[in-house]
């Protein structure tokens, strides 16, 4: 067994005046006339531990370089410095994993763009350590919220036969070698493919969550989602995690109330667990970060229907790049206007035109809008998309036909309307977009350990 004391235990005073062995990576090292110092980190706390080397006994400290992994035996003493309460007086040093001058993270500050080119190393910086610690706590907050509220966690399949959102942004999955695919009469012969039919990586777990909810009541999925999204913005990525709860006996109002409670819960949870990291992000990335938490936890979320939003924008006297018109999608400039300027708070936009939404959303009595909502946040835009589902078999069928859906492919989805159908609703929340909001990071690639986006993958 490796004898080791984590840095967190040294810093919180658990082992004052004891001799301990600490392992860590050197963040910085500097040498003075009689003493040298190294700041080391081992991931157990956001803080680094200062190690002091007296010249006697440590004549050659050339291996003590930024990026190296070291093992130090030393005495825990109170630190005379302001920065930390404890430090380590070294008595023994071993270079476990050396790093030379070619280690890329020599300087203290690097641009996020530069760091994006080395996902395997950037996690050794303060910024990315903080991002991924918060990612961990946010994941746990999500599971806790649903568990405390009577939901069951479901593992949805990642390989599916459906494109739930009907947006044609799916990645196809095949075991056939692409350079030897058989085509006859212009059609691919799938009889030799693994599933003997066309298959895709999931774009949403919703369709599979629905049958589970119509038996278990309240369920949720939280897993990877894949989209060959043509939008290549700082909010889009090809592989992201989505949280998708699905609830029997919920209508749109119930759905919206749940979304608001969920967001408030995760914000409170993080504020309680991640004070040090939130402080770090407010200092270096987003001055208003603490206000964001306050607004989410204490403030009310606004609500407006799509039709009212279009009228509001038309009457605003604002010169939009594209004039808002009933039937168009809510473009980024409209999101900004609504969430950042008009409401200055998160806002639920509800009841969009059926023509711009997927077939599964419940048709309202007006026959032209659907019972759905997008939750827009100031600064980041759409965080959540949700809806009441169409539980009426005949209406669902005609909406599917209108949307060009092959009903044969979805027969099991129609079955749950045939036998014991029930009103139900759900939503999908993009994990990374929420994490961006909670950290103040402005690019989705900076909250994903190994991001995949159009034309880029390391
Ligand atoms: O609005 P979307 O497409 O909704 C659905 O997929 C529904 N089936 C969800 C449901 O009702 N169960 O996606 C939901 C959320 C978006 O609001 C956004 O936060 C995130 O998923 N999202 C993306 N995040 C990063 N990169 C992308 N390319 C994303 N596309 C959607
Ligand atoms: Mg959406």
């Amino acid at each position: 067994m490796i004898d080791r004391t984590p840095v967190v235990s040294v810093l919180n005073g658990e082992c004052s005046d004891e001799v301990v062995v600490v392992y860590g990576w050197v963040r910085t090292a500097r040498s003075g006339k009689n003493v040298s110092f190294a700041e080391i980190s081992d991931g157990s706390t956001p803080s680094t531990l200062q190690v002091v080397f007296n010249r006697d006994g440590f004549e050659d400290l050339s291996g003590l370089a930024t990026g190296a992994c070291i093992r130090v035996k030393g005495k825990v003493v109170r630190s005379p410095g302001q920065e930390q309460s404890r430090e380590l007086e070294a008595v023994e040093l071993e270079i476990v994993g050396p790093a030379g001058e070619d280690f890329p993270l020599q300087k203290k500050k690097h641009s996020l763009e530069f760091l994006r080119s080395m996902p395997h190393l950037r996690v050794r910086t303060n910024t990315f350590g903080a991002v991924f610690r918060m990612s961990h706590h946010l994941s746990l907050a999500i599971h806790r919220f649903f568990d405390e509220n009577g939901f069951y966690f479901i593992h949805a399949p990642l390989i599916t036969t459906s494109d739930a959102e009907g947006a044609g942004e799916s990645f196809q999955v095949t075991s056939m070698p692409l350079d030897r695919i058989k085509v006859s009469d212009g059609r691919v012969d799938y009889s030799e493919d693994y599933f003997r039919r066309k298959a895709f990586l999931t774009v949403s777990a919703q369709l599979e969550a629905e049958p589970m909810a119509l038996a278990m009541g309240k369920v949720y999925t939280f897993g990877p989602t894949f989209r060959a999204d043509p939008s290549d913005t700082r909010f889009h990525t090809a592989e992201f995690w989505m949280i998708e709860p699905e609830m029997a006996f919920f209508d749109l109002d119930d759905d919206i109330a749940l979304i608001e409670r969920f967001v408030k819960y995760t914000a409170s949870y993080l504020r309680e667990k991640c004070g040090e990291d939130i402080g770090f992000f407010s200092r270096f990335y987003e001055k208003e970060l603490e206000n964001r938490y306050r607004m989410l936890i204490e403030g009310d979320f606004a609500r407006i229907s799509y039709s009212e939003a279009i009228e509001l924008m038309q009457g605003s006297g604002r010169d939009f790049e594209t004039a808002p018109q009933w039937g168009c999608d809510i473009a980024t400039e409209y999101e900004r206007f609504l969430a950042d300027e008009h409401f200055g708070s998160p806002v639920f936009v509800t009841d969009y035109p059926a023509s711009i939404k997927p077939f599964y959303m419940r048709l309202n009595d007006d026959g032209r809008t659907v019972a759905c909502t997008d939750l827009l946040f100031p600064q980041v835009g759409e965080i959540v998309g949700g809806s009441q589902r169409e539980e009426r078999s005949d209406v669902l069928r005609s909406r599917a036909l209108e949307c060009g859906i092959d009903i044969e492919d979805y027969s099991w989805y129609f079955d749950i309307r045939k036998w014991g159908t029930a009103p139900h609703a759900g939503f999908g929340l993009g994990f990374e977009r929420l994490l961006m909001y909670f950290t103040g990071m402005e690019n989705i690639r900076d909250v994903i350990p190994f991001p995949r986006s159009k034309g880029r993958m390391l």
Side-chain angles (χ1 to χ4, degrees):
M1 247 166 77
I2 293 182
D3 170 26
R4 173 180 97 99
T5 301
V7 167
V8 66
S9 310
V10 175
L11 289 180
N12 69 15
E14 269 173 47
C15 35
S16 284
D17 302 321
E18 288 173 29
V19 172
V20 297
V21 175
V22 171
Y23 283 80
W25 291 272
V26 178
R27 286 291 175 81
T28 54
R30 63 199 154 85
S31 50
K33 209 161 142 232
N34 300 317
V35 281
S36 296
F37 300 94
E39 296 287 336
I40 67 167
S41 154
D42 70 353
S44 61
T45 157
S47 312
T48 51
L49 172 67
Q50 173 158 282
V51 187
V52 185
F53 298 90
N54 281 306
R55 186 57 80 224
D56 327 330
F58 293 103
E59 283 80 19
D60 177 19
L61 285 174
S62 57
L64 198 65
T66 301
C69 178
I70 62 172
R71 173 186 174 279
V72 199
K73 190 172 187 179
K75 187 171 174 198
V76 180
V77 296
R78 278 186 185 280
S79 173
Q82 295 283 309
E83 302 262 305
Q84 63 281 311
S85 64
R86 301 285 188 295
E87 60 185 29
L88 197 67
E89 268 177 14
V91 293
E92 216 178 279
L93 168 69
E94 182 193 337
I95 309 294
V96 178
E101 275 170 17
D102 54 350
F103 179 67
L105 307 181
Q106 295 290 348
K107 276 192 302 163
K108 240 192 153 158
K109 242 183 131 41
H110 296 279
S111 74
L112 292 172
E113 287 83 349
F114 171 77
L115 292 171
R116 237 168 264 151
S117 70
M118 46 190 76
H120 56 306
L121 296 176
R122 69 177 179 171
V123 62
R124 295 201 195 169
T125 63
N126 289 337
T127 297
F128 288 93
V131 166
F132 299 122
R133 267 192 303 275
M134 286 195 50
S135 172
H136 160 79
H137 289 292
L138 180 56
S139 304
L140 279 191
I142 289 162
H143 286 300
R144 288 182 74 134
F145 174 83
F146 287 118
D147 184 47
E148 287 171 15
N149 284 279
F151 282 73
Y152 298 108
F153 176 40
I154 300 299
H155 293 185
L158 299 189
I159 302 177
T160 67
T161 53
S162 61
D163 170 8
E165 298 308 296
E169 292 168 359
S170 316
F171 289 99
Q172 204 174 330
V173 177
T174 177
S175 62
M176 298 191 289
L178 287 180
D179 48 0
R180 277 188 281 126
I181 283 191
K182 277 196 214 143
V183 182
S184 51
D185 297 337
R187 291 179 141 249
V188 175
D189 175 7
Y190 283 101
S191 63
E192 284 178 28
D193 202 359
Y194 191 85
F195 299 107
R196 300 203 185 90
R197 59 181 298 176
K198 241 179 171 172
F200 307 96
L201 289 179
T202 187
V203 295
S204 159
Q206 178 197 322
L207 300 195
E208 288 88 2
E210 285 187 51
M212 303 301 282
L214 291 196
M216 300 181 76
K218 293 194 285 189
V219 302
Y220 73 105
T221 68
F222 178 18
T225 309
F226 308 89
R227 293 190 186 179
D229 214 312
S231 327
D232 188 21
T233 74
R234 61 194 177 89
F235 298 108
H236 289 90
T237 164
E239 185 180 294
F240 59 99
W241 282 52
M242 215 197 304
I243 296 111
E244 295 190 274
E246 194 69 34
M247 300 75 66
F249 318 117
F250 263 54
D251 66 10
L252 183 63
D253 291 338
D254 296 317
D255 204 20
I256 286 176
L258 181 73
I259 298 170
E260 187 165 338
R261 273 208 303 127
F262 171 79
V263 170
K264 285 181 182 297
Y265 180 97
T266 54
S268 307
Y269 186 93
L270 287 191
R271 192 164 71 172
E272 200 186 305
K273 291 273 178 197
C274 307
E276 199 169 340
D277 287 327
I278 292 171
F280 170 84
F281 286 117
S282 343
R283 224 165 29 254
F284 296 107
Y285 289 96
E286 174 55 64
K287 300 271 168 297
E288 292 298 311
L289 195 62
E290 278 159 27
N291 280 336
R292 283 189 180 179
Y293 283 84
R294 209 167 302 127
M295 175 185 75
L296 288 186
I297 295 166
E298 291 159 23
D300 287 328
F301 292 13
R303 178 172 172 169
I304 189 171
S305 74
Y306 169 92
S307 301
E308 287 163 349
I310 295 290
E311 271 174 34
L312 177 77
M313 291 188 287
Q314 285 170 339
S316 68
R318 166 64 56 99
D319 204 7
F320 290 106
E321 246 167 67
T322 312
Q325 265 190 337
W326 202 92
C328 67
D329 214 341
I330 297 288
T332 308
E333 55 172 340
Y334 306 162
E335 291 183 347
R336 285 285 125 78
F337 175 80
L338 293 168
D340 293 73
E341 288 180 41
H342 185 77
F343 291 107
S345 75
V347 51
F348 289 104
V349 182
T350 67
D351 304 286
Y352 284 63
S355 54
I356 55 169
K357 288 293 184 186
F359 78 103
Y360 56 71
M361 294 185 177
R362 192 177 197 280
L363 194 64
N364 285 325
D365 291 344
D366 63 14
R368 61 176 202 154
T369 60
V370 283
C372 70
T373 188
D374 276 5
L375 174 60
L376 312 179
F377 269 14
Q379 275 136 353
V380 301
E382 183 193 331
I383 289 270
V384 179
S387 62
Q388 188 171 338
R389 318 307 188 191
E390 185 54 79
E391 84 284 12
R392 297 162 298 184
S393 197
D394 50 336
V395 185
L396 185 68
R397 221 162 256 281
S398 61
R399 285 279 294 134
L401 290 173
E402 265 169 42
C403 295
I405 303 271
D406 186 345
I407 292 179
E408 276 301 295
D409 273 354
Y410 291 77
S411 58
W412 57 271
Y413 188 72
F414 285 87
D415 275 355
I416 57 170
R417 272 76 181 169
K418 192 161 124 197
W419 296 305
T421 191
H424 61 292
F427 67 85
L429 181 143
F431 176 82
E432 293 77 5
R433 290 194 188 168
L434 188 60
L435 186 57
M436 286 171 78
Y437 200 69
F438 283 144
T439 55
M441 299 307 280
E442 290 187 343
N443 193 311
I444 200 162
R445 294 176 191 93
D446 295 335
V447 297
I448 301 178
F450 291 86
R452 276 87 177 84
S453 56
K454 203 168 182 183
R456 271 182 299 245
M457 167 141 92
L458 202 74

Coordinates of all heavy atoms in Angstrom, one line a residue, residues 285-327:
Y285 N -13.5 34.9 -13.7 CA -14.2 34.7 -15.0 C -15.5 35.5 -15.1 O -15.8 36.1 -16.1 CB -14.5 33.2 -15.2 CG -13.3 32.4 -15.6 CD1 -12.5 31.8 -14.6 CD2 -12.8 32.5 -16.9 CE1 -11.4 31.1 -15.0 CE2 -11.7 31.8 -17.3 CZ -11.0 31.1 -16.3 OH -9.8 30.5 -16.6
E286 N -16.3 35.5 -14.0 CA -17.6 36.1 -14.2 C -17.9 36.9 -12.9 O -18.3 36.3 -11.9 CB -18.7 35.1 -14.5 CG -20.1 35.5 -14.5 CD -20.4 36.7 -15.4 OE1 -20.2 36.5 -16.6 OE2 -20.8 37.8 -14.9
K287 N -17.8 38.2 -12.9 CA -17.9 39.0 -11.7 C -19.3 38.9 -11.1 O -19.5 39.0 -9.9 CB -17.7 40.5 -12.0 CG -16.3 40.8 -12.6 CD -15.3 41.1 -11.5 CE -13.9 41.1 -12.0 NZ -13.3 39.9 -12.5
E288 N -20.3 38.6 -12.0 CA -21.7 38.6 -11.5 C -22.1 37.2 -11.1 O -23.3 37.0 -10.9 CB -22.6 39.1 -12.6 CG -22.5 40.6 -12.9 CD -22.8 41.5 -11.8 OE1 -23.9 41.2 -11.2 OE2 -22.0 42.3 -11.4
L289 N -21.2 36.3 -10.9 CA -21.6 34.9 -10.7 C -22.4 34.7 -9.5 O -23.5 34.0 -9.5 CB -20.3 34.0 -10.6 CG -20.6 32.5 -10.8 CD1 -21.2 32.2 -12.1 CD2 -19.3 31.7 -10.6
E290 N -22.0 35.4 -8.4 CA -22.8 35.2 -7.1 C -24.2 35.7 -7.3 O -25.2 35.1 -6.7 CB -22.1 35.7 -5.9 CG -21.0 34.6 -5.5 CD -19.9 35.1 -4.7 OE1 -20.1 36.2 -4.0 OE2 -18.8 34.5 -4.7
N291 N -24.4 36.8 -8.1 CA -25.8 37.3 -8.4 C -26.6 36.3 -9.1 O -27.8 36.2 -9.0 CB -25.7 38.6 -9.2 CG -25.4 39.7 -8.3 OD1 -25.6 39.7 -7.1 ND2 -24.8 40.8 -8.8
R292 N -25.9 35.5 -10.0 CA -26.6 34.5 -10.8 C -27.3 33.5 -9.8 O -28.4 33.2 -10.0 CB -25.7 33.7 -11.7 CG -25.3 34.5 -12.9 CD -24.5 33.6 -13.9 NE -24.1 34.3 -15.0 CZ -23.5 33.8 -16.0 NH1 -23.1 32.5 -16.0 NH2 -23.1 34.5 -17.1
Y293 N -26.5 33.1 -8.9 CA -27.0 32.1 -7.9 C -28.2 32.7 -7.1 O -29.2 32.1 -6.9 CB -25.9 31.6 -6.9 CG -25.0 30.6 -7.6 CD1 -23.9 31.0 -8.3 CD2 -25.2 29.2 -7.4 CE1 -23.1 30.0 -8.9 CE2 -24.4 28.3 -8.0 CZ -23.3 28.7 -8.8 OH -22.5 27.8 -9.3
R294 N -28.0 34.0 -6.7 CA -29.0 34.7 -5.9 C -30.3 34.8 -6.8 O -31.4 34.5 -6.3 CB -28.5 36.1 -5.5 CG -29.1 36.5 -4.2 CD -28.4 37.7 -3.7 NE -27.0 37.5 -3.4 CZ -26.0 38.3 -3.9 NH1 -26.3 39.3 -4.7 NH2 -24.8 38.0 -3.6
M295 N -30.1 35.2 -8.0 CA -31.3 35.3 -8.9 C -32.1 34.0 -9.1 O -33.3 33.9 -9.0 CB -30.9 35.9 -10.3 CG -32.0 36.0 -11.3 SD -31.3 36.4 -12.9 CE -30.6 34.9 -13.4
L296 N -31.3 32.9 -9.3 CA -31.9 31.6 -9.5 C -32.6 31.1 -8.2 O -33.7 30.6 -8.3 CB -30.9 30.6 -9.9 CG -30.3 30.7 -11.3 CD1 -29.5 29.5 -11.6 CD2 -31.5 30.8 -12.4
I297 N -32.0 31.3 -7.1 CA -32.5 30.7 -5.9 C -33.7 31.6 -5.3 O -34.7 31.1 -4.9 CB -31.4 30.6 -4.8 CG1 -30.4 29.6 -5.3 CG2 -31.9 30.2 -3.5 CD1 -29.0 29.5 -4.6
E298 N -33.5 32.9 -5.3 CA -34.5 33.8 -4.7 C -35.5 34.4 -5.6 O -36.6 34.7 -5.2 CB -33.8 34.9 -3.9 CG -33.0 34.4 -2.7 CD -31.9 35.4 -2.3 OE1 -32.0 36.6 -2.6 OE2 -30.9 34.9 -1.7
G299 N -35.2 34.5 -6.9 CA -36.1 35.2 -7.8 C -37.1 34.3 -8.4 O -37.0 33.1 -8.3
D300 N -38.2 34.9 -9.0 CA -39.2 34.1 -9.7 C -38.7 34.1 -11.2 O -38.1 35.0 -11.7 CB -40.5 34.9 -9.6 CG -41.1 34.7 -8.3 OD1 -40.9 33.7 -7.6 OD2 -41.8 35.7 -7.8
F301 N -39.1 33.0 -11.8 CA -38.9 32.9 -13.2 C -40.1 33.4 -14.0 O -41.2 33.3 -13.5 CB -38.7 31.4 -13.6 CG -37.5 30.7 -13.1 CD1 -36.7 31.3 -12.1 CD2 -37.1 29.5 -13.6 CE1 -35.6 30.7 -11.6 CE2 -35.9 28.8 -13.1 CZ -35.2 29.4 -12.1
A302 N -39.8 34.2 -15.1 CA -40.9 34.7 -15.8 C -41.6 33.7 -16.7 O -41.0 32.6 -17.0 CB -40.4 35.9 -16.6
R303 N -42.8 34.0 -17.3 CA -43.4 33.1 -18.2 C -44.2 33.9 -19.2 O -44.9 34.9 -18.9 CB -44.4 32.2 -17.4 CG -45.1 31.3 -18.3 CD -45.9 30.3 -17.4 NE -46.8 29.5 -18.3 CZ -47.5 28.4 -17.9 NH1 -47.4 27.9 -16.7 NH2 -48.3 27.8 -18.8
I304 N -44.0 33.6 -20.5 CA -44.7 34.3 -21.5 C -45.0 33.2 -22.6 O -44.3 32.3 -22.9 CB -43.9 35.4 -22.1 CG1 -44.7 36.3 -23.0 CG2 -42.6 34.9 -22.7 CD1 -43.9 37.6 -23.4
S305 N -46.2 33.4 -23.3 CA -46.4 32.5 -24.4 C -45.7 32.9 -25.6 O -45.3 34.1 -25.7 CB -47.9 32.4 -24.7 OG -48.3 33.6 -25.4
Y306 N -45.4 32.0 -26.5 CA -44.7 32.3 -27.8 C -45.4 33.5 -28.5 O -44.8 34.4 -28.9 CB -44.7 31.1 -28.6 CG -44.2 31.3 -30.1 CD1 -42.9 31.2 -30.4 CD2 -45.1 31.7 -31.1 CE1 -42.4 31.5 -31.7 CE2 -44.7 31.9 -32.3 CZ -43.4 31.8 -32.7 OH -43.0 32.0 -34.0
S307 N -46.8 33.4 -28.6 CA -47.5 34.4 -29.3 C -47.4 35.8 -28.7 O -47.2 36.8 -29.4 CB -49.0 34.0 -29.5 OG -49.1 32.8 -30.1
E308 N -47.5 35.8 -27.3 CA -47.3 37.1 -26.6 C -45.8 37.6 -26.9 O -45.6 38.8 -27.0 CB -47.5 36.9 -25.1 CG -48.9 36.7 -24.7 CD -49.1 36.1 -23.3 OE1 -48.0 35.7 -22.7 OE2 -50.2 36.1 -22.8
A309 N -44.9 36.7 -26.9 CA -43.5 37.1 -27.0 C -43.3 37.8 -28.4 O -42.6 38.8 -28.5 CB -42.5 35.9 -26.8
I310 N -43.9 37.2 -29.4 CA -43.7 37.7 -30.8 C -44.4 39.1 -30.8 O -43.7 40.1 -31.3 CB -44.4 36.8 -31.8 CG1 -43.7 35.4 -31.9 CG2 -44.5 37.5 -33.2 CD1 -42.3 35.5 -32.5
E311 N -45.6 39.3 -30.2 CA -46.2 40.6 -30.2 C -45.4 41.6 -29.4 O -45.2 42.7 -29.8 CB -47.6 40.5 -29.5 CG -48.7 40.1 -30.5 CD -50.0 39.9 -29.7 OE1 -50.3 40.6 -28.7 OE2 -50.8 39.0 -30.2
L312 N -44.8 41.1 -28.3 CA -44.0 42.0 -27.5 C -42.8 42.6 -28.3 O -42.5 43.7 -28.2 CB -43.5 41.2 -26.2 CG -42.6 42.0 -25.3 CD1 -43.3 42.9 -24.4 CD2 -41.8 40.9 -24.4
M313 N -42.2 41.7 -29.0 CA -41.0 42.1 -29.8 C -41.4 43.0 -30.9 O -40.7 43.9 -31.3 CB -40.2 40.8 -30.2 CG -39.6 40.1 -29.1 SD -38.5 38.8 -29.5 CE -39.6 37.5 -30.1
Q314 N -42.5 42.6 -31.6 CA -43.0 43.4 -32.7 C -43.3 44.9 -32.2 O -43.0 45.8 -32.9 CB -44.2 42.8 -33.4 CG -43.9 41.6 -34.2 CD -45.1 40.8 -34.7 OE1 -46.2 40.9 -34.1 NE2 -45.0 40.0 -35.7
G315 N -43.8 45.0 -31.0 CA -44.2 46.3 -30.5 C -43.1 47.0 -29.8 O -43.2 48.1 -29.2
S316 N -41.9 46.4 -29.7 CA -40.8 46.9 -28.9 C -40.1 48.1 -29.6 O -39.3 48.8 -28.9 CB -39.8 45.8 -28.6 OG -39.1 45.5 -29.8
G317 N -40.3 48.3 -30.9 CA -39.6 49.3 -31.6 C -38.1 49.0 -31.8 O -37.3 49.8 -32.3
R318 N -37.7 47.8 -31.5 CA -36.4 47.3 -31.6 C -36.1 46.9 -33.1 O -36.9 46.3 -33.7 CB -36.2 46.1 -30.7 CG -35.0 45.2 -30.9 CD -33.7 46.0 -30.6 NE -33.8 46.6 -29.3 CZ -33.1 46.1 -28.2 NH1 -32.4 45.0 -28.4 NH2 -33.2 46.6 -27.1
D319 N -34.9 47.2 -33.5 CA -34.5 46.9 -34.9 C -33.8 45.5 -34.9 O -32.6 45.4 -34.8 CB -33.5 47.9 -35.4 CG -33.5 48.0 -36.9 OD1 -34.4 47.3 -37.5 OD2 -32.7 48.8 -37.4
F320 N -34.6 44.4 -34.9 CA -34.0 43.1 -35.0 C -33.4 42.8 -36.3 O -33.9 43.3 -37.3 CB -35.1 42.0 -34.6 CG -35.5 42.1 -33.2 CD1 -36.8 42.6 -32.9 CD2 -34.7 41.6 -32.2 CE1 -37.2 42.6 -31.6 CE2 -35.2 41.6 -30.9 CZ -36.4 42.1 -30.6
E321 N -32.4 42.0 -36.3 CA -31.8 41.6 -37.6 C -32.8 40.9 -38.5 O -32.9 41.2 -39.7 CB -30.6 40.6 -37.4 CG -29.3 41.2 -37.7 CD -28.2 40.3 -37.2 OE1 -28.0 39.1 -37.7 OE2 -27.4 40.7 -36.3
T322 N -33.6 40.0 -38.0 CA -34.7 39.5 -38.7 C -36.0 39.8 -37.9 O -36.1 39.5 -36.7 CB -34.6 37.9 -38.8 OG1 -33.3 37.6 -39.1 CG2 -35.6 37.3 -39.7
A323 N -36.9 40.5 -38.6 CA -38.1 40.9 -37.9 C -38.9 39.7 -37.4 O -39.1 38.8 -38.1 CB -39.0 41.8 -38.8
P324 N -39.3 39.8 -36.1 CA -40.0 38.6 -35.5 C -41.4 38.5 -36.2 O -42.1 39.5 -36.4 CB -40.2 39.0 -34.0 CG -39.5 40.3 -33.8 CD -39.1 40.8 -35.1
Q325 N -41.8 37.3 -36.5 CA -43.0 37.0 -37.2 C -43.6 35.7 -36.6 O -42.8 34.8 -36.4 CB -42.8 36.8 -38.6 CG -43.0 38.0 -39.5 CD -43.0 37.6 -40.9 OE1 -42.4 36.6 -41.3 NE2 -43.6 38.5 -41.7
W326 N -44.9 35.6 -36.4 CA -45.5 34.4 -35.9 C -45.1 33.2 -36.8 O -45.3 33.3 -38.0 CB -47.0 34.6 -35.8 CG -47.6 33.6 -34.8 CD1 -47.8 33.8 -33.4 CD2 -48.0 32.3 -35.0 NE1 -48.3 32.7 -32.8 CE2 -48.4 31.7 -33.8 CE3 -48.0 31.4 -36.1 CZ2 -48.9 30.4 -33.6 CZ3 -48.5 30.1 -36.0 CH2 -48.9 29.6 -34.7
G327 N -44.6 32.2 -36.2 CA -44.3 31.0 -37.0 C -42.7 30.8 -37.1 O -42.3 29.8 -37.5

